[in-house]
Amino acid sequence: QVQLVESGGGLVQPGGSLRLSCAASGFTFSSSVMSWYRQAPGKERELVAFIRATSTTNYADSVKGRFTISRDNAKSTAYLQMNGLKPEDTAVYYCNGWIGGQFYWGLGTQVTVSS
């Protein structure tokens, strides 16, 4: 059974940092593409970043230079390091895995950037 469990969200001031974690189980993590998406109130869910099995990465223009996606295959965990946070980064952040031809989602973790 595939499980993706996010953690690390919270309230942070503008300019601050957070690191999100996605603990995965039930599939071969090392060979799967892992992604982070986010959804702000009243907006569509959008791709933030993804990391391939080869550890090559891709980012949305809005987060380039501020966010870093990474993976630890030994721990079956994906991470999203978020620096220089802005109020417009406020959203629920979701971990996503492309596994066996299907998308799987975690339940999300709330990130709020506010003074």
Side-chain angles (χ1 to χ4, degrees):
Q1 180 182 359
V2 173
Q3 281 196 311
L4 300 172
V5 180
E6 302 96 335
S7 62
L11 173 64
V12 63
Q13 292 187 342
S17 298
L18 284 174
R19 188 177 83 154
L20 306 183
S21 299
C22 172
S25 61
F27 63 100
T28 306
F29 179 83
S30 60
S31 61
S32 300
V33 178
M34 301 300 298
S35 306
W36 286 96
Y37 284 72
R38 66 186 182 187
Q39 188 167 19
K43 295 189 176 181
E44 293 187 354
R45 192 171 296 190
E46 63 175 356
L47 176 64
V48 175
F50 68 86
I51 183 167
R52 300 178 182 88
T54 55
S55 290
T56 55
T57 59
N58 195 280
Y59 296 91
D61 287 343
S62 59
V63 306
K64 278 181 183 176
R66 299 188 298 123
F67 290 11
T68 303
I69 189 171
S70 62
R71 65 193 302 155
D72 184 335
N73 290 336
K75 295 182 178 180
S76 294
T77 301
Y79 301 97
L80 185 68
Q81 178 67 44
M82 305 185 294
N83 298 329
L85 283 161
K86 304 175 181 180
E88 52 263 44
D89 294 318
T90 295
V92 178
Y93 284 71
Y94 297 91
C95 178
N96 171 279
W98 176 247
I99 304 157
Q102 297 185 65
F103 281 119
Y104 290 86
W105 297 92
L107 296 179
T109 186
Q110 176 70 46
V111 172
T112 302
V113 185
S114 175
S115 55

